[in-house]
């Protein structure tokens, strides 16, 4: 009975995988044949069953082909969250951004902060988690080498190598945690309204500070109100916009 249940469970999971593969293959085929709207519908349906960087990337490509640049940017941004080290996603996202109206110069930051963020974004949360497991295994091997090797030079390799891999293990876990936080607490958003006034206060009667156009990326700094969100632009400007004028990445 136990073997039967295990066999049934394995068969069920294999059927799900086969179904997903066939559906994605159909979506890819629709895209390759130039039927971009159908591909968009199929990729969107796939994403209802779970997030995937590849599917988001393909969805972004399909939106880009139909000149729906804002939706393409949203899809690319979501793909990049799941796979931050993917150069193709990053390139296509930058290409899509060149078609938006608002061109902002980001605030300058300390070079060490930029370098650190770039390092963390080399891999996804899963990538850093797998790396940490490998480093942990290496640390254990080197510790055993230090404890049981006879030659002094081998014991030195085990000791200092173990300390180094232990440090990298801690860093990999820290990077994985930071990537997890980025996925869990999403504060990036894309302007979806064609011309959105940014207000000085969260009220329709508030003073218009400036206008943002669709496709612009902002950071949500206050989401405690139902109908309004405080946002910060890449250049440091802040203001309030209506909630329905932006979409969280």
């Amino acid at each position: 009975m136990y073997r039967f249940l295990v066999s049934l469970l394995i068969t069920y999971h294999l059927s799900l995988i086969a179904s997903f593969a066939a559906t994605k293959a159909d979506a890819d085929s629709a895209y390759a044949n130039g039927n971009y709207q159908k591909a968009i519908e199929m990729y969107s349906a796939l994403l209802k069953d779970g997030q995937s960087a590849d599917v988001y990337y393909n969805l972004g490509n399909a939106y880009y082909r139909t000149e729906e640049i804002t939706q393409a940017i949203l899809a690319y941004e979501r793909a990049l969250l799941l796979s931050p080290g993917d150069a193709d996603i990053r390139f296509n996202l930058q290409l899509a951004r060149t078609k938006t109206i608002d061109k902002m110069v980001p605030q300058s930051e300390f070079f060490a902060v930029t370098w650190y963020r770039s390092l963390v974004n080399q891999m996804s949360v899963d990538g850093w988690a797998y790396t940490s497991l490998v480093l942990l295994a290496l640390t254990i091997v080197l510790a055993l080498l230090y404890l049981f090797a006879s030659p002094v030079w081998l014991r030195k390799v085990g000791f200092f190598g173990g300390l180094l891999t232990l440090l990298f293990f801690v860093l990999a876990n820290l990077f994985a945690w930071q990537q997890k936080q980025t996925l869990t607490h999403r504060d990036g958003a894309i302007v979806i309204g064609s011309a959105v006034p940014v207000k000085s206060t969260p009220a329709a009667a508030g003073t218009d500070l400036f206008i943002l156009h669709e496709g612009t990326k902002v950071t949500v700094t206050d989401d405690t109100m139902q109908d309004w969100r405080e946002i910060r632009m890449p250049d440091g400007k802040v203001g309030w916009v209506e909630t329905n004028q932006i979409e969280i990445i």
Side-chain angles (χ1 to χ4, degrees):
M1 183 64 179
Y2 173 76
R3 291 182 177 178
F4 173 74
L5 290 175
V6 171
S7 176
L8 188 63
L9 187 62
I10 292 173
T11 302
Y12 172 72
H13 282 292
L14 288 176
S15 66
L16 282 180
I17 294 172
S19 175
F20 174 82
T23 306
K24 184 175 183 303
D26 290 341
D28 291 341
S29 177
Y31 178 86
N33 291 328
N35 195 344
Y36 302 122
Q37 195 57 50
K38 182 179 179 181
I40 289 170
E41 294 172 2
M42 298 179 75
Y43 287 134
S44 298
L46 280 171
L47 289 167
K48 292 178 181 178
D49 297 327
Q51 297 186 71
S52 164
D54 288 339
V55 177
Y56 271 128
Y57 175 68
N58 291 344
L59 177 62
N61 290 338
Y63 273 127
Y64 187 86
R65 290 289 188 175
T66 59
E67 293 295 322
E68 296 180 69
I69 302 302
T70 301
Q71 291 301 319
I73 290 174
L74 261 172
Y76 289 142
E77 289 279 8
R78 288 166 177 165
L80 199 61
L81 274 179
L82 297 171
S83 184
D86 193 305
D88 290 335
I89 297 174
R90 197 172 295 276
F91 176 82
N92 282 18
L93 174 59
Q94 293 298 333
L95 186 64
R97 283 176 177 168
T98 62
K99 298 203 170 192
T100 60
I101 296 175
D102 299 325
K103 303 292 187 289
M104 298 185 186
V105 179
Q107 284 182 305
S108 60
E109 61 182 8
F110 187 50
F111 78 92
V113 175
T114 303
W115 177 83
Y116 179 79
R117 185 180 293 113
S118 176
L119 178 60
V120 174
N121 287 334
Q122 288 300 309
M123 285 189 280
S124 65
V125 57
D126 290 338
W128 284 119
Y130 295 144
T131 300
S132 70
L133 291 176
V134 173
L135 289 168
L136 178 60
L138 284 174
T139 301
I140 293 173
V141 170
L142 289 167
L144 293 174
L145 188 65
Y146 167 71
L147 291 172
F148 299 108
S150 297
V152 175
W153 71 272
L154 275 180
R155 297 190 65 190
K156 287 183 178 180
V157 169
F159 179 77
F160 291 107
L163 287 179
L164 190 61
T165 54
L166 180 61
L167 173 62
F168 289 155
F169 167 74
V170 173
L171 287 175
N173 275 279
L174 174 62
F175 296 164
W177 177 81
Q178 288 185 317
Q179 289 288 17
K180 181 67 175 178
Q181 291 297 107
T182 301
L183 284 173
T184 305
H185 306 289
R186 303 188 181 190
D187 58 1
I190 301 298
V191 175
I192 58 175
S194 58
V196 179
V198 180
K199 304 283 187 175
S200 60
T201 58
T207 303
D208 289 352
L209 299 177
F210 48 89
I211 301 293
L212 289 178
H213 300 87
E214 57 181 324
T216 301
K217 184 179 181 180
V218 298
T219 300
V220 177
T221 55
D222 188 339
D223 61 356
T224 56
M225 301 185 69
Q226 181 177 353
D227 299 325
W228 292 88
R229 295 287 186 267
E230 185 183 48
I231 59 170
R232 184 179 69 249
M233 272 55 72
D235 59 4
K237 295 178 182 177
V238 296
W240 293 84
V241 297
E242 291 184 272
T243 303
N244 59 8
Q245 297 297 321
I246 60 174
E247 186 169 338
I248 296 296
I249 295 169

